[in-house]
Structure formats: structure tokens, C-alpha cells
Amino acid sequence: MTQCSSTALKQFLCAACLCAAAALMPAEASTNVVFGFNDGSAFDGAGIGAVMTTGGVSITTVDIVGQDGSKNTGGAGHKTNIYGSWDALGINDENASGNEYGSFDSGEAWVFCFDADVYLVEIDLAGQGEGAELTISSAEFSDMVLPYVDSEAVHDLSNAFVSAGAEITFQMTSPTNAADTSLRIKTLTVEPALSVPTETAGGTPYAWLDTYYTGLVSAADYLAAESADSDGDGMTAREEYLAGTVPTNAASRLQVNAAGPLGTNHVVSWQSVTGKYYSVLVESNLAAASNGWSTTANNIRGLENQTSFTTTVSGADSAFFKVGIEKREIYLLIGQSNMAGRAPIEEEDEGGIEGCELFNSSGEWEAAANPLNQYSTIRKDLDLQQLNPGCGFALRMREEHPDITLGLVVNARGGTSITDWEKGDDYYEAAVARVEDALAGGGCRLAGILWHQGEANSSLTNSYMGYLTTMIEDLRADFGDPDLPFVAGQLEQDDVTETVKERPINDYIILLPTLLDRTAVATTEGLTTLDGTHFDTESQRELGRRYAEALLSLEE
């Protein structure tokens, strides 16, 4: 009997397939900057163009709306004035006195901008009585209307993001007792932004959430929307984003539609979308004595509406099935010394590569860090392994696909010939074995192969491409994917000198896409070397980016 647990399905989506993606938020906590509007400070009695700088952030007055509603320097009330004993900012003319001095009257407004990207944290208001209302408006966010109440004078501004130069207006609106409210601003607290946020801390893009939800202003708004199950289908918006389903439509969700015997096997069908890849897992017994879920298939390309897969599980057996989204995309990096890496690792290349993991010698994924060829099962001495193209490749791919965790399987060895990489030879078989081990854990797919080799065969122009195309076809057959993307890199093209040999093989490598579909070439024009053969550090970074661009050109 075939069974399927929808609860287990959801748990699988949450636990096995959702890989963390770091948001483009500040890399480390910024220090809040508090603008205090004190008697005698920069804005006291100042007009348009006044500047106050605190904590490295400056506010500049762009305009002032006076008592007569005009935005010009003439007329009444075109100064920012501060009431001395309260140390609080308002708007008036320079001859005002008493409680009127430094307050916002109805309609008056202060228009300003920051010289840096900031988050608005909170504002502290002061005044004589209840009824005043301050409206904060900008093209950067939805209007915020703040009432003045003695017990709630400090207002949370929800970390609304404001870009440098964007105009913000503080305007007195809807008072119940007119000027007697004497609304003033005591302090404004902001946090400098180290980068513009484009996604939640959980990794869901703001643009995607904006497609389905309105009124999202602050980081907290987006985070709340990401965590909500607004259509009641048992999946949060974050899970729906990863699954490619619609968070506002209960009929659109990742679920198994049917599972049943087909001859001696089982067929499993599930609701799917194009552009996603799926894994099918099986369990024979959900009781405590269970052996655990095992992957029966992965790298299954999703079809529109529904995808079906015939498993190798016996149709006579009782089985439970669940389907998950593959969120780690594996890339195999193989070849000789330039793929192993011989360029010095500089300070900017140290540390982990965000959103990228490296398959280690223990058969586990760890945060990727240079040298990436350190776990190769065929490498030369560890101290020879330096910067290779993998780092630049991963950084560029993450820019294009921030929701995907990259998994790198790097298995290169310097000095090898193309004939060392034929099917059946040690280097070829070692690469296949490492990828199979990496795929065994499920929740991932082999998304492409990067190849850099040829220095040992630089003049082998007549037969090299025959060896290369045969190797590609063999790898695709062994991995069960006839369309597996493959990118080859050209050799160096430094000016020919007495110590630098010409590389005629480059004229053949560039022809690879004309010989096999779903292949591309990372060109090396303009790149430089350390010794006439091995790319230097900056060229390795750029070569990695070119590998990524070539791979991206093959995406459907």
C-alpha cells in the first residue's frame, strides 16, 4: 500500500530543503546616531541649507513650509527654531517668543535629507498637550502619522529605510487644539545603513513579497509577511517563495497529488512549477523503528502544474513518499593547476564565501573558504593549493541567485594531461565518486561542470577536442543528465615571449559550443599570469566571474 504524509512533506520542506540565504543587511551592527535638537545648535534659527552632522551622518534642510503654507524663504515662519528650555525643534520666524517659539503649527513642515543611507529608528516628540499629529512622508516609504500623547512621546519608526539624498517631510497635521499643542521634535534616532536591504533576514526578496502584499514599509513588515501563512495552506510565504508557489492562493502549494504502484515500481506525482528541481524521498515505516528517509531520486526537473516520477521502490511494498525542493546547486570543478589554483590568496580572498559550501574529505558540507582544492582526493601537496577560479565564480553566481546555496566539489590536480581524464582512469573516476557522495544526502542537484585544463596539451590541437567532447559525454551519461551544462576555460593569452609559449589550443577550445550543445567557454583575453602559465590573483578572480557568466548563458 502506498501512502503519503502531507505533514511530513511540510516538515521536509522546512528542515531538509530550506537553505539559509543571508540578506543584504549591514554585515555588522551599526551604532545608532541620535540627532538632539538643542538650544544654540546648528538648526536653531536656521533656514534652507542648514546642516547638522552627528556620528558621521549629516541632515540638510531642503525646504521649510511656513505658517502661510508657502515653500520659500519669504513670508512667516521659514526658520527652524528651538525652544531653549525644552531643547526641541519646531518652525517659526526668528522673532517668535514664548511657547510659540520653536513649535510646529498646523500645516508647517520641515523638509530635509540625509547624506547617507539610513534606517529611521525612533523619534522623541514634546509638546504642551494632546491632539497634535506629526506626519512623516517620503517617496521612500508610506506615510507615518504619529500622534503626540504624553505617555507615548517616543515613537518607533520601524527601521524604515531612507536612501541618501531622498527628501523627507515632517509636517504638523490635524491638531485638535491648533497652535496650543506646541508640537516639537526633541531627538531623531537613525542607524547608518552599510548596504541597501533587498531581502529579509530570512532571505526572501522584498521585490517578491511586494508582488503579493501591499503596505510593506519597514524591515519588520517584510519579515512578518515572510513568516505568515496568509492563504492558510500550511506553508509560510518564505516556503512558498522557495517552492515557486503563490502565497496568496491556497490551491498553489507544494504537495504530493498521488502515489501508487505501477507494475513492479511506484509512480509519485506532485504539484510543481517550471524552473525548480525536486527530490523524491521514501520511507517504508514511519514508526519509531524507522530506518529514516532515503533519497530515491533527485535533480528532477519540474514541469508546469504537475510532475510525475517512477521510482525503483517495489510496487508490492508499503511506502511513504515526500517531495522536496533542491536548494543546493552543486558544481564540479576539475582540471589541472589553474583549476587547483596557484595564485596567492590575498586578504580579500580570506574567510568564508557567503552562501557557498565546500564538500570536504569527511563527506560533509562546510562553509567554503580558500584554498578550494584543499579536499581534492587527487591533489598535490596542500601548500601548492592557492586561489582558483571557484571563488570568483561563486561570488558572481550568488549575485544572480541569492536564494540558492552553492555547493562546490573541487577535484583538480596540477600537471595532468587530457588523457589522464578519460573514463576509467583514476582522475575521472575520483571526480565522479565525489559528486555521487555529495548528491547522496539529497536536497541538491548537480548544476554544472567547470573545466580548466590544456597547459599539458597546449599544442595537441588535432586530437584534444575529441578527447574533451568524449569526456563530456561520458560525464553526462554517468550523472544521468544529457543536458548537464559544461564550461571550459581557455588557457592564458599573455603576449608571446621567449619564456611564454603560444597556446594554439585556445583556437580549438573556443569552438566547443559548436561541437556539443549546452556547453560554453570562459575566455581569457586580457588576463595576466605569474609565470606565463598560471593566472595571477586578480586574473583568477576575473576568470571565475567569466566562468559564471558562461554558465549563466546556458540557463533556460
Side-chain angles (χ1 to χ4, degrees):
M1 179 178 67
T2 302
Q3 303 181 44
C4 171
S5 167
S6 59
T7 300
L9 171 67
K10 184 176 182 236
Q11 289 173 345
F12 174 64
L13 179 64
C14 296
C17 293
L18 273 63
C19 295
L24 299 180
M25 299 290 285
E28 53 187 47
S30 300
T31 302
N32 284 349
V33 173
V34 181
F35 292 93
F37 303 110
N38 299 320
D39 186 20
S41 59
F43 287 134
D44 195 2
I48 296 172
V51 179
M52 176 185 286
T53 301
T54 303
V57 180
S58 296
I59 292 180
T60 299
T61 296
V62 177
D63 218 330
I64 297 173
V65 178
Q67 291 174 329
D68 59 1
S70 64
K71 287 187 175 182
N72 55 59
T73 55
H78 285 92
K79 300 287 184 180
T80 53
N81 280 258
I82 295 173
Y83 184 55
S85 63
W86 284 5
D87 285 334
L89 179 71
I91 292 175
N92 227 301
D93 59 71
E94 53 193 342
N95 298 317
S97 61
N99 290 339
E100 185 66 16
Y101 190 89
S103 67
F104 279 79
D105 290 335
S106 180
E108 290 181 336
W110 175 38
V111 184
F112 65 91
C113 67
F114 295 101
D115 70 340
D117 296 344
V118 300
Y119 301 93
L120 302 182
V121 179
E122 66 181 23
I123 188 170
D124 186 357
L125 301 180
Q128 286 185 326
E130 299 180 10
E133 186 178 84
L134 183 70
T135 297
I136 306 176
S137 59
S138 174
E140 300 280 282
F141 50 78
S142 300
D143 287 357
M144 288 186 273
V145 181
L146 310 179
Y148 170 68
V149 180
D150 286 339
S151 62
E152 297 180 6
V154 178
H155 294 270
D156 181 7
L157 300 182
S158 301
N159 292 321
F161 177 77
V162 180
S163 57
E167 293 187 5
I168 308 170
T169 300
F170 283 177
Q171 184 172 27
M172 172 73 152
T173 54
S174 304
T176 57
N177 54 349
D180 291 340
T181 54
S182 300
L183 184 68
R184 299 175 173 88
I185 304 172
K186 293 180 67 176
T187 63
L188 174 62
T189 302
V190 303
E191 179 185 357
L194 303 184
S195 60
V196 179
T198 59
E199 59 186 47
T200 67
T204 307
Y206 283 3
W208 184 85
L209 289 167
D210 286 334
T211 302
Y212 300 103
Y213 303 100
T214 60
L216 304 181
V217 176
S218 68
D221 291 339
Y222 284 100
L223 192 60
E226 172 193 63
S227 304
D229 176 14
S230 56
D231 56 5
D233 64 359
M235 296 176 65
T236 66
R238 168 65 178 167
E239 292 167 348
E240 302 243 25
Y241 165 68
L242 293 175
T245 53
V246 179
T248 54
N249 180 359
S252 175
R253 68 177 203 162
L254 176 61
Q255 66 176 4
V256 174
N257 294 330
L262 180 66
T264 59
N265 299 315
H266 277 98
V267 60
V268 181
S269 301
W270 62 92
Q271 191 174 129
S272 60
V273 297
T274 58
K276 297 291 182 179
Y277 291 80
Y278 299 86
S279 295
V280 176
L281 282 82
V282 64
E283 169 61 277
S284 60
N285 188 349
L286 295 182
S290 168
N291 293 321
W293 291 95
S294 61
T295 302
T296 186
N298 54 26
N299 202 30
I300 304 171
R301 191 188 303 268
L303 304 177
E304 187 174 359
N305 298 322
Q306 179 169 288
T307 298
S308 298
F309 181 79
T310 301
T311 76
T312 57
V313 178
S314 171
D317 295 336
S318 174
F320 294 84
F321 294 98
K322 61 182 178 182
V323 175
I325 297 290
E326 296 180 351
K327 295 304 297 175
R328 182 189 288 113
E329 294 196 341
I330 295 177
Y331 293 91
L332 172 64
L333 282 62
I334 51 176
Q336 60 179 112
S337 54
N338 270 313
M339 186 58 83
R342 296 293 185 259
I345 297 172
E346 298 180 352
E347 184 176 355
E348 71 174 84
D349 310 305
E350 296 175 350
I353 304 172
E354 183 178 310
C356 181
E357 297 175 332
L358 183 65
F359 197 62
N360 64 27
S361 55
S362 299
E364 298 176 345
W365 293 102
E366 65 176 49
N370 291 307
L372 296 176
N373 199 50
Q374 60 186 295
Y375 297 122
S376 169
T377 57
I378 59 173
R379 64 168 170 77
K380 294 184 177 180
D381 292 344
L382 181 59
D383 59 3
L384 290 175
Q385 316 310 313
Q386 296 293 318
L387 188 70
N388 78 345
C391 184
F393 170 78
L395 291 172
R396 178 66 187 97
M397 291 297 291
R398 283 280 300 164
E399 288 176 354
E400 195 69 22
H401 297 302
D403 59 319
I404 297 295
T405 295
L406 268 65
L408 302 183
V409 179
V410 189
N411 228 60
R413 180 181 174 86
T416 54
S417 167
I418 184 70
T419 57
D420 295 326
W421 290 91
E422 292 183 274
K423 181 177 174 62
D425 288 338
D426 290 346
Y427 300 151
Y428 177 99
E429 297 302 330
V432 171
R434 292 208 73 211
V435 171
E436 290 177 342
D437 287 345
L439 291 171
C444 53
R445 73 181 186 95
L446 180 60
I449 300 175
L450 309 186
W451 166 259
H452 201 283
Q453 190 279 332
E455 293 87 352
N457 310 108
S458 59
S459 60
L460 187 65
T461 54
N462 292 329
S463 57
Y464 184 86
M465 296 308 291
Y467 283 113
L468 182 58
T469 54
T470 297
M471 183 192 72
I472 296 170
E473 291 173 331
D474 286 340
L475 287 168
R476 287 173 167 175
D478 283 343
F479 293 131
D481 186 354
D483 296 320
L484 182 64
F486 186 100
V487 179
Q490 287 184 307
L491 310 188
E492 55 80 21
Q493 300 186 47
D494 277 353
D495 293 338
V496 176
T497 67
E498 292 182 0
T499 58
V500 179
K501 295 182 292 184
E502 190 174 2
R503 306 291 194 185
I505 197 172
N506 278 332
D507 294 333
Y508 289 82
I509 293 175
I510 200 69
L511 299 177
L512 178 60
T514 68
L515 302 176
L516 283 180
D517 291 338
R518 303 282 289 163
T519 62
V521 175
T523 63
T524 56
E525 182 178 356
L527 303 186
T528 53
T529 65
L530 299 166
D531 53 13
T533 298
H534 301 108
F535 294 107
D536 58 32
T537 300
E538 181 53 45
S539 292
Q540 280 285 30
R541 296 181 191 130
E542 174 59 25
L543 181 58
R545 290 189 285 268
R546 294 183 186 184
Y547 267 106
E549 295 297 342
L551 193 288
L552 291 168
S553 72
L554 299 176
E555 290 188 349
E556 296 180 348

